[in-house]
Amino acid sequence: LLAESTSSVEVESAWRASKKIADFQGEDGNSPPVHHRLTQLVALRNEAAREIGHANAYVSSLTLSELDPTWLFETLAELDRVTRPVFQTWKKGLDQKLARRFSIDAGELRPWHYGDRFFQSVPKVEDALDLDPIFRTKDVVDLTIQSFDHLGFDIRPIIERSDLFPGNPATSRKCQHAFCTSIDAPFDVRVLCNVVPGSRWMSTMLHEFGHAVYGASLDAKAPYILRDDAHLLANEAIALLMERHMLDVDWLTRIAQVDMAEAKSIADRGRRQIAEKHLVFTRWVMVMCHFEKALYENPARSDLGRLWWDIVEEFQEVRRPEPDRENHDWSSKIHFVGFPAYYQNYLLGEVFGTQLEDGLRKQTGGMFLHKDAGQFLAERMFKPGATYPWGDLLHRLTGQSFSVEP
């Protein structure tokens, strides 16, 4: 509904329904609401972090994963500085398109008009690139196999251990998300998806099997504690890099069998789509990081709902719902519960992946769907596992330190 509807009443209803997660009190209705239990959980995490000498669990999580908190927020500030004017200009155009879609004035736009629950992706508008017609009739799993074959990775053993298709909605309680999990990397790596034909699951399969080949290519002879990625952001970089190549002329013609003229048109529009995606997502990650930092600094503060919307308005320039009530909308985001202090890895992974792609072009001549590129990744990045700190690994791969400039 949020993606497709043109009714303000309908999208507001759907959006507000999604926020009821925050007040959910269990199947019996007698448990404390989710937002209350979540702040209690944050307090417990902080207590554990202080026992090992850290100010709070957010600082602890960053520090123990080799991310300096000061460096992280300096990097976010730099990304804010360079993206803010571009975002403001682009969003004015977006707001005009959304106002036309909903037949309202741009000043009436609210969070439910932006296409998803958090405005973390680019809303569908009249000139959006739609790849669904290409993939509705194609075997998404087979295209994924072919993609990794061209890089020299045989993912068939991983597929055999994986669960890739939806369960029966009448009988199954299967997770509706998608993820890769290493049961015992590199020997047992698996992927869970809910594949139906279309561009969304084509993109997701390339992403998740990017994670999978990383885990399956670790050195089996390495000590157990080093059989892991150098950092979560490095793993995300590979997944995002694999996903992004779905918009390359080379991939579209060789793997998806798209006509060259159409592939070039898609790639031209795709480059703009990637830029818009990065712009929107960068601003959203800033919301997550700044709010989560404040949450862990004081989970007992009474104005968390108002703080959330202050930060949304600051970085995403989306006006808060009216009236300005005390709410717990923030706690309907699953990452605060299950993946604390994680969100920055997506954005840093995009930067890492862009630098890595530049390095691959220099090392392998720019042909991403080529075994030389796959061998470079397998031998130089995957196999060493956690032998090197992630910054050292990036320098060994590209000859450069981490930089937002690429």
Side-chain angles (χ1 to χ4, degrees):
L1 283 171
L2 291 174
E4 303 291 347
S5 176
T6 58
S7 162
S8 286
V9 172
E10 206 166 50
V11 293
E12 180 177 359
S13 177
W15 185 89
R16 289 192 182 278
S18 77
K19 301 306 172 185
K20 291 182 180 178
I21 294 168
D23 297 313
F24 181 64
Q25 293 185 271
E27 298 289 350
D28 59 2
N30 295 322
S31 301
V34 163
H35 68 84
H36 178 72
R37 283 183 284 164
L38 179 49
T39 53
Q40 288 183 317
L41 177 59
V42 169
L44 285 171
R45 287 171 177 164
N46 280 349
E47 185 180 324
R50 284 191 289 270
E51 288 180 1
I52 57 171
H54 296 280
N56 59 57
Y58 190 73
V59 171
S60 177
S61 183
L62 293 177
T63 304
L64 295 177
S65 68
E66 300 175 359
L67 283 179
D68 176 67
T70 301
W71 173 86
L72 172 62
F73 280 88
E74 287 174 350
T75 302
L76 291 175
E78 174 65 7
L79 283 164
D80 178 26
R81 184 185 68 80
V82 298
T83 61
R84 184 177 290 270
V86 187
F87 178 75
Q88 288 174 332
T89 300
W90 175 82
K91 187 173 175 294
K92 284 181 182 177
L94 173 69
D95 285 352
Q96 291 170 0
K97 294 174 183 177
L98 291 174
R100 286 196 297 271
R101 173 179 165 183
F102 291 100
S103 301
I104 59 176
D105 184 80
E108 299 176 78
L109 291 170
R110 292 296 183 271
W112 42 84
H113 292 114
Y114 286 88
D116 65 34
R117 294 177 300 142
F118 298 102
F119 187 30
Q120 65 184 72
S121 56
V122 181
K124 284 186 178 180
V125 288
E126 61 261 27
D127 56 351
L129 177 62
D130 183 9
L131 296 181
D132 276 345
I134 293 174
F135 296 104
R136 283 199 187 104
T137 59
K138 296 186 183 295
D139 185 335
V140 168
V141 176
D142 183 62
L143 294 181
T144 307
I145 292 171
Q146 290 184 51
S147 300
F148 286 93
D149 278 348
H150 275 74
L151 284 164
F153 296 108
D154 180 8
I155 62 171
R156 292 168 185 83
I158 304 172
I159 285 176
E160 289 176 6
R161 290 190 294 269
S162 297
D163 184 348
L164 301 180
F165 299 99
N168 182 336
T171 59
S172 173
R173 292 178 65 88
K174 180 182 175 182
C175 173
Q176 297 174 37
H177 197 46
F179 58 84
C180 174
T181 180
S182 291
I183 307 301
D184 183 19
F187 309 107
D188 187 353
V189 179
R190 309 179 191 189
V191 170
L192 178 141
C193 283
N194 288 273
V195 173
V196 294
S199 59
R200 174 194 171 192
W201 284 102
M202 183 72 257
S203 171
T204 301
M205 284 286 285
L206 292 172
H207 182 105
E208 297 305 334
F209 278 90
H211 288 309
V213 295
Y214 199 138
S217 302
L218 296 170
D219 186 356
K221 297 179 181 177
Y224 178 79
I225 199 168
L226 298 182
R227 276 188 258 145
D228 200 355
D229 51 50
H231 193 279
L232 290 167
L233 70 88
N235 212 323
E236 287 297 341
I238 292 300
L240 293 162
L241 190 58
M242 297 298 181
E243 173 187 339
R244 192 186 307 174
H245 283 272
M246 178 178 151
L247 294 171
D248 281 359
V249 171
D250 203 26
W251 189 91
L252 287 164
T253 54
R254 293 170 64 185
I255 306 298
Q257 300 295 302
V258 175
D259 173 81
M260 177 59 78
E262 184 180 6
K264 287 182 177 179
S265 174
I266 290 171
D268 287 343
R269 296 176 67 194
R271 275 190 289 274
R272 179 176 180 84
Q273 178 175 286
I274 290 172
E276 292 176 346
K277 171 192 168 186
H278 286 168
L279 197 57
V280 169
F281 192 67
T282 297
R283 309 303 298 179
W284 163 243
V285 173
M286 289 172 191
V287 172
M288 288 293 290
C289 290
H290 282 275
F291 180 82
E292 197 165 25
K293 178 176 181 288
L295 171 65
Y296 279 86
E297 286 173 346
N298 183 9
R301 61 185 294 169
S302 61
D303 64 340
L304 285 171
R306 186 166 285 108
L307 175 66
W308 171 257
W309 287 108
D310 288 346
I311 294 173
V312 167
E313 289 185 336
E314 167 68 14
F315 292 106
Q316 292 181 296
E317 303 192 10
V318 173
R319 292 182 65 180
R320 70 189 69 201
E322 296 172 343
D324 181 17
R325 59 190 173 84
E326 174 59 25
N327 60 66
H328 309 283
D329 295 338
W330 61 274
S331 57
S332 64
K333 184 61 175 170
I334 191 173
H335 289 74
F336 290 129
V337 180
F339 307 92
Y342 188 92
Y343 228 84
Q344 68 284 340
N345 294 315
Y346 295 121
L347 181 55
L348 298 177
E350 290 278 18
V351 179
F352 188 116
T354 304
Q355 284 189 258
L356 180 59
E357 187 172 15
D358 289 347
L360 278 168
R361 286 198 184 98
K362 294 172 185 174
Q363 296 281 342
T364 65
M367 291 288 289
F368 184 78
L369 286 176
H370 194 280
K371 286 183 171 57
D372 285 349
Q375 185 175 5
F376 177 91
L377 290 172
E379 294 296 322
R380 301 276 301 277
M381 183 172 181
F382 301 164
K383 187 176 180 180
T387 302
Y388 308 108
W390 70 268
D392 292 357
L393 176 66
L394 179 62
H395 200 279
R396 292 171 70 90
L397 294 170
T398 67
Q400 296 178 321
S401 299
F402 184 92
S403 169
V404 302
E405 186 61 30

